[in-house]
Amino acid sequence: MKINEIMTKGVEVISSDATIKQAADRMRVLNVGALPVRSNGTLIGILTDRDITVRAIAEGRNPESTPVNEIMSREIQWCYDDQDVQEASRLMKEKQIRRLLIKDRNEQISGIVSLGDISTHAPSELTGETTKEISEPSHPERETGFGETRL
């Protein structure tokens, strides 16, 4: 199965100088948890709902004046739309990410694949393995914040 068979098409991007509030409003309207970020026509990152929460709100940044380029994830992971879904799954497991940008062979964004897309459309053996490995804690022994240690 090819990635272009399961990906979400028509991905909107946001400008790197847009504010966090503008990005959050766009995410709400589109009902998405991530937006690719462009500067001068070049893809420079991806902004996730987690970036907004952990890097902006938790740090006390002003959502009305802070540009998304200050909090976005800069390491962009992607696959080509004509690659096999197993390649997307492998990369998502390896990098422990829940969303993967998809490009066409002209290097243009053609879609995005989420863990939900793989869970809904990919073969069940691939789905379970991908979900398990992405969900593994990156720091297995850490304080949970509730007086417990995760083992």
Side-chain angles (χ1 to χ4, degrees), residues 17 23 97 115 138 146:
D17 59 358
I97 56 175
L115 182 56
S138 56
F146 299 104

Side-chain angles (χ1 to χ4, degrees), residues 12-14 18-35 47-49 52 63-64 68:
E12 287 200 29
V13 299
I14 193 155
T19 66
I20 296 168
K21 181 173 184 335
Q22 290 169 323
D25 284 343
R26 198 75 203 130
M27 288 177 169
R28 180 184 49 79
V29 168
L30 297 170
N31 193 28
V32 298
L35 292 170
L47 180 72
T48 67
D49 45 9
I52 292 171
E64 305 243 355
V68 299

Side-chain angles (χ1 to χ4, degrees), residues 142-150:
R142 67 174 185 229
E143 288 290 321
T144 63
F146 299 104
E148 306 171 341
T149 300
R150 179 180 292 173

